[in-house]
Amino acid sequence: SAFFNFYSLQLVILLFICTCTYVRSNFTSLVDKNKQGFLGLVWKAARIGERLSPYVSLCCIIMALSLLSKS
């Protein structure tokens, strides 16, 4: 389970941020008008992905390399 393994939890959070940023870029009105509840969490993750995109990209590359080195 991803909640008991710290590496898996980091991977899930990183993929959630990347997915939310992608969804917001394609469906801006859906994400921006709902800032409460679950879609509020999606909006916040998308903002993190947009504002910290170089760091998120670097984390994605590091995660991919570490995942490939485990195989």
Side-chain angles (χ1 to χ4, degrees), residues 14-69:
L14 189 61
L15 289 174
F16 182 71
I17 289 171
C18 293
T19 303
C20 291
T21 306
Y22 176 77
V23 167
R24 186 176 185 275
S25 69
N26 289 325
F27 304 105
T28 306
S29 61
L30 175 70
V31 177
D32 283 347
K33 71 179 180 179
N34 298 315
K35 294 182 182 174
Q36 301 293 327
F38 178 72
L39 285 177
L41 185 63
V42 171
W43 179 79
K44 288 177 186 176
R47 297 298 279 178
I48 291 170
E50 290 172 352
R51 292 183 179 179
L52 300 175
S53 61
Y55 300 112
V56 172
S57 301
L58 183 64
C59 288
C60 286
I61 291 170
I62 291 170
M63 284 289 200
L65 291 175
S66 67
L67 189 64
L68 288 174
S69 67

